[in-house]
Amino acid sequence: MSKVLKKSLLLSIILIIGLVFIAACGNTQDNNVQEKEKAPENKQVEEKKEVDFPKRNINISIPFGAGGGTDQVGRILAGLAEKNSGVNWVCTNDIGGAGALAMGNIAKSTPDGYNLLFITSNISVLKHMGHTELNYENFEPIIAVNTDPAALIVRSDSGWNTLEDFIAAAKEKRLKVQTGAAGGLWQVGALAMKNALNLDLNIIPSGTGGAPAAPALLGKQVDAIAIAPNEALSGLKTGEFKVLVSLGRDRSALGPDAPTMVELGYPDITAQAVRAFYAPKGTPPEVVKKLHDMLKAAVESKEYPEYMESTGSTVNYMNTEDLVKYLEWEFEAYKKLLAFAGL
Amino acid sequence: MNPDILAGFSLAFTPEALILCLLGMFFGIIVGAIPGLTATMAIAILTPFTFSLSAINGLMMLTGIYIGGIYGGSISAVLLNIPGTPSALMTALDGNPMAVRGEAGRALGLATVSSFFGGMFGVCVLLTVAPFLARFALKFGAAEYFALCCFGLSVVAALSQGSLVRGFISAGLGLFVVCIGMDPIIGVPRFTYGSQELFAGISYIPIMIGLFGIAEVLTQLTTKEMQGVTATQKIGRLWPTLKDIKVIWKVVLRSAGIGTFIGALPGAGGAIGSILGYNEAKRISKYPEKFGTGIPEGIAAPESANNSAIGGAFIPLLTLGIPGDAITAILIGAFMIHNLTPGPLLYRDNPEIIYALYFGLLVAHLYLIILGMSCAKVFAKAITVPKNLLMPIISLFCIVGSFAYANRLFDVMVMLIFGVIGYYMRKNQFPIAPMILGIVLGPIFELNLRIALQLAEGDILQLFTRPISAVLWIILLLMFIAPKIKNKSLKDIAVND
């Protein structure tokens, strides 16, 4: 017994030491924070270097899974930006906490422009939900590249042509409305809409994002879905589905006849996801500008708008200044929206 | 002949398309064989690179990766007892004992041949009854998925060799571990104790790598064999004998049927397909007690099921524009970049692309058997590597694989911790497979139960009274009761005699 036992004991000890070691490695990010504090001293040096930024690979942290909508848009833009920058743009998927994990990592990283975050409007929701202490103010916003609004979508054979028809039906019977992930923007928007319209709806979340909602609507498991129209692209293109109302600031490209909630007189009911690039707080403005210009060139390329159109998404470019203004509005707007949703 | 079929043929059978498909498959097999690197990841990363190719060339390459990746997972499952992908989980149960016995070649050969026939079955179903099956699959709501998960969890009984109690403890542990993180319905933290890392959740890939990989390394380290310099094993013959084929053909067909259908469901994929395929093979077998000891049926059933799920997953994608699993979800992007929207419109507007894809799938399966067999030979040599070299290499792969999944050092720690847990579980005869089952099925089990209850406004009866779920529950009940009745009536006869 003794020999085997000793061995396994020894092994366990080695593994535990290994764990401690790894845990220690994890702290290097804290070291970066210290470096960050030192950063201002180096500012002059960095200004001189500005001309030859970027000198090495740029890392983009994507907080969602490989192959999802945000991942695809991020990778396409990274690929296009690579062409006119001379360095590699490397995308990594830092998945967890609906984006809170990646936000934490990038906020702590060295503010030299080589570590970027590509995230949706979750950046304006997570702090209100208490999932992170961070919001846009802890970052240097660079550029916004696309907007996807949520929308209320029904089957065309439902007989509902306008929001009024839907409201009338909902007053007769408790309707089932499936939406995106729990605590995500689509669910928040759906709950806020329900409360604003004073309806009694059964709002059901999906496991991951809005994609599982489309088959549920097609299979008549639910009466309506509240997700981004591009997540129900095939149904909308064949005419099996239709958009009743858009929750974006603008109408949806896939349902141009459907009004927005704002048009209908509910200015506080906006749920739209803006995807944008962010650098850690303290990144030199020259570097931010350089990054903005490189990414703007990618947004204005031939391929990017083509891809966005084919997936039913909308290109929505905002420069750094406009993005900051928008984020100020968005952060407050989603606070109201969450209050409306009762979350 | 239909001109669209001809156009599709000429699109698929160009030298570039054929070579890209072969390259994709080679890459897929390697990625699939490395634990932690999944076919999903490989396709997600390579999809943007295919955008510069023509639509069909890109799709042929991605199809190659997809099929290769699903197959590749079985190689490490058989040779090292570490499933390279979640869908190869069940293959390890019989594949590895067979390889350990000195018949690694036979195990790999069986896996390849079953994958080939299973995959071909899936494609044939796709070619013939796709629209009908896709419409039927849409009738599956949360209640039906919940019933399917119960089917899956009932497999725990089949996996607990010896002690049922230990099996249930193991499965319960797995179900508990996946509760850590964010609640899927109301979005609040569970068991996180304020830790941001725990809030982000524990994903099943690092756990699986730890429980199988590191636990295997630890077990090997503490056995006497390790102290010898080499552990040379025979590879044996690769191609299955006629006798083997005779034994497995029924299992392959039945599993392929199960796998294709599960693959066609938008909420379930190859992993569940292979679990159910294995269970069904064991249930129907005349010698269920031999499963887990390294018998051909135990390899054929899950391998046929997980590869047939590929054809299945294409069914809702092509006919309805709804992905059948995580990989087809990414493939939608590959279609769209070329302005093709998968779904009924694609059949109307670009039928040649659909036919070309069909040809692509068929070609890829031919590659599978050629490349699979020749790769198997090379890979099989892995276990003739001295163990004092092999084990460090495996440890390295485990660390890299668990880190690569989500770029989290935390996952490496999770992997190591579960490696130690797995080691002690093995030492104390707790089966590991039920725990993995709990981890893989747990999240969908919980999510669908809760969504189903919310859809039914809390009326539990509706879980069982919807027509399809009622049928599923009756089958499940029969599976449990039937063996007992059979035994009892046999006893009665004996008494009467």
Side-chain angles (χ1 to χ4, degrees), chain A residues 116-165:
Chain A
L116 308 181
L117 174 69
F118 184 58
I119 195 171
T120 58
S121 293
N122 282 15
I123 199 167
S124 300
V125 179
L126 290 165
K127 189 176 179 179
H128 295 311
M129 305 275 287
H131 292 340
T132 172
E133 289 296 302
L134 307 170
N135 73 351
Y136 74 94
E137 290 167 337
N138 304 82
F139 296 89
E140 302 286 351
I142 303 170
I143 182 173
V145 295
N146 128 269
T147 304
D148 284 318
L152 185 70
I153 299 166
V154 296
R155 277 188 309 277
S156 299
D157 63 14
S158 64
W160 304 322
N161 290 314
T162 59
L163 186 64
E164 281 78 53
D165 297 343

Side-chain angles (χ1 to χ4, degrees), chain A residues 232-247:
Chain A
L233 183 64
S234 178
L236 285 167
K237 276 199 174 169
T238 53
E240 274 182 286
F241 293 168
K242 66 181 162 201
V243 177
L244 283 191
V245 62
S246 163
L247 271 64

Side-chain angles (χ1 to χ4, degrees), chain B residues 68-294:
Chain B
I70 298 289
Y71 161 74
S74 67
I75 296 176
S76 41
V78 166
L79 296 176
L80 307 171
N81 199 17
I82 309 168
T85 51
S87 59
L89 167 65
M90 310 303 281
T91 315
L93 298 178
D94 277 273
N96 189 252
M98 190 184 275
V100 167
R101 221 164 46 208
E103 296 178 289
R106 182 182 174 210
L108 285 178
L110 282 166
T112 314
V113 171
S114 315
S115 293
F116 171 74
F117 283 111
M120 286 300 264
F121 183 93
V123 176
C124 292
V125 173
L126 173 66
L127 288 176
T128 47
V129 291
F132 164 76
L133 197 61
R135 285 281 157 190
F136 181 69
L138 279 182
K139 294 210 169 74
F140 272 63
E144 285 76 19
Y145 284 117
F146 171 66
L148 269 185
C149 287
C150 291
F151 261 94
L153 284 173
S154 76
V155 179
V156 168
L159 293 179
S160 322
Q161 288 120 6
S163 163
L164 201 58
V165 176
R166 281 162 198 256
F168 276 114
I169 292 175
S170 174
L173 204 59
L175 287 172
F176 166 71
V177 166
V178 286
C179 286
I180 298 172
M182 191 162 33
D183 177 290
I185 296 292
I186 48 177
V188 297
R190 288 194 302 209
F191 303 110
T192 60
Y193 304 102
S195 152
Q196 186 80 55
E197 295 284 5
L198 285 176
F199 174 63
I202 298 188
S203 38
Y204 62 81
I205 299 266
I207 302 180
M208 196 173 88
I209 297 174
L211 283 178
F212 280 100
I214 291 293
E216 175 76 17
V217 171
L218 292 179
T219 312
Q220 293 285 350
L221 277 178
T222 48
T223 53
K224 288 223 176 86
E225 262 175 69
M226 189 64 191
Q227 288 152 17
V229 185
T230 51
T232 331
Q233 273 171 306
K234 274 186 291 177
I235 295 168
R237 60 174 294 156
L238 212 53
W239 287 92
T241 57
L242 219 67
K243 210 177 125 204
D244 276 346
I245 299 278
K246 256 186 195 161
V247 174
I248 62 164
W249 74 271
K250 270 189 194 162
V251 171
V252 166
L253 267 184
R254 199 179 304 121
S255 271
I258 296 171
T260 310
F261 182 69
I262 300 285
L265 296 175
I272 296 181
S274 66
I275 291 169
L276 295 183
Y278 184 89
N279 191 40
E280 189 61 14
K282 179 169 179 176
R283 199 178 62 77
I284 290 186
S285 169
K286 285 186 195 118
Y287 35 87
E289 71 284 354
K290 283 194 188 163
F291 275 78
T293 60

Side-chain angles (χ1 to χ4, degrees), chain A residues 43-51 53 283-293:
Chain A
K43 207 164 183 181
Q44 282 181 326
V45 187
E46 270 170 18
E47 268 170 31
K48 274 180 204 160
K49 278 183 195 165
E50 186 257 320
V51 186
F53 177 88
T283 306
E286 313 79 40
V287 173
V288 171
K289 183 167 185 308
K290 195 100 195 236
L291 285 165
H292 166 269
D293 294 347

Side-chain angles (χ1 to χ4, degrees), chain B residues 290-303:
Chain B
K290 283 194 188 163
F291 275 78
T293 60
I295 59 169
E297 295 97 311
I299 299 170
E303 276 309 300

Side-chain angles (χ1 to χ4, degrees), chain A residues 7-8 12 15 66 92-94 100-101 131 174 176 182 202-205 207 221 233-234 237 240 307 310-311, chain B residues 44 135 138-141 184-185 187 227 320 336-337 341 406-408 420 423-424 447 451 454-455 457 466:
Chain A
K7 261 223 171 112
S8 60
S12 309
L15 273 170
T92 53
N93 301 94
D94 302 317
L101 197 77
H131 292 340
R174 197 164 130 97
K176 296 167 188 163
N202 184 0
I203 307 245
I204 301 139
Q221 316 282 347
L233 183 64
S234 178
K237 276 199 174 169
E240 274 182 286
Y307 175 78
S310 68
T311 57
Chain B
R135 285 281 157 190
L138 279 182
K139 294 210 169 74
F140 272 63
I185 296 292
Q227 288 152 17
L320 303 171
M336 283 174 172
I337 192 72
T341 309
N407 287 302
R408 288 168 71 190
V420 175
Y423 170 72
Y424 283 106
L447 185 72
I451 288 182
Q454 205 182 334
L455 279 168
E457 311 274 353
R466 289 164 55 100

Side-chain angles (χ1 to χ4, degrees), chain A residues 98 151 176-188 190-191 202-218 221-228 231-232, chain B residues 141-142 145 182-188 266-267 322 443-452 454-455:
Chain A
K176 296 167 188 163
V177 180
Q178 190 155 4
T179 175
L185 197 48
W186 296 171
Q187 190 206 20
V188 175
L191 287 169
N202 184 0
I203 307 245
I204 301 139
S206 305
T208 48
L217 181 64
L218 199 56
Q221 316 282 347
V222 293
D223 301 301
I225 51 178
I227 57 172
E231 290 170 312
Chain B
Y145 284 117
M182 191 162 33
D183 177 290
I185 296 292
I186 48 177
V188 297
I322 292 166
I444 20 178
F445 176 83
E446 183 195 359
L447 185 72
N448 284 302
L449 172 62
R450 292 176 66 182
I451 288 182
Q454 205 182 334
L455 279 168

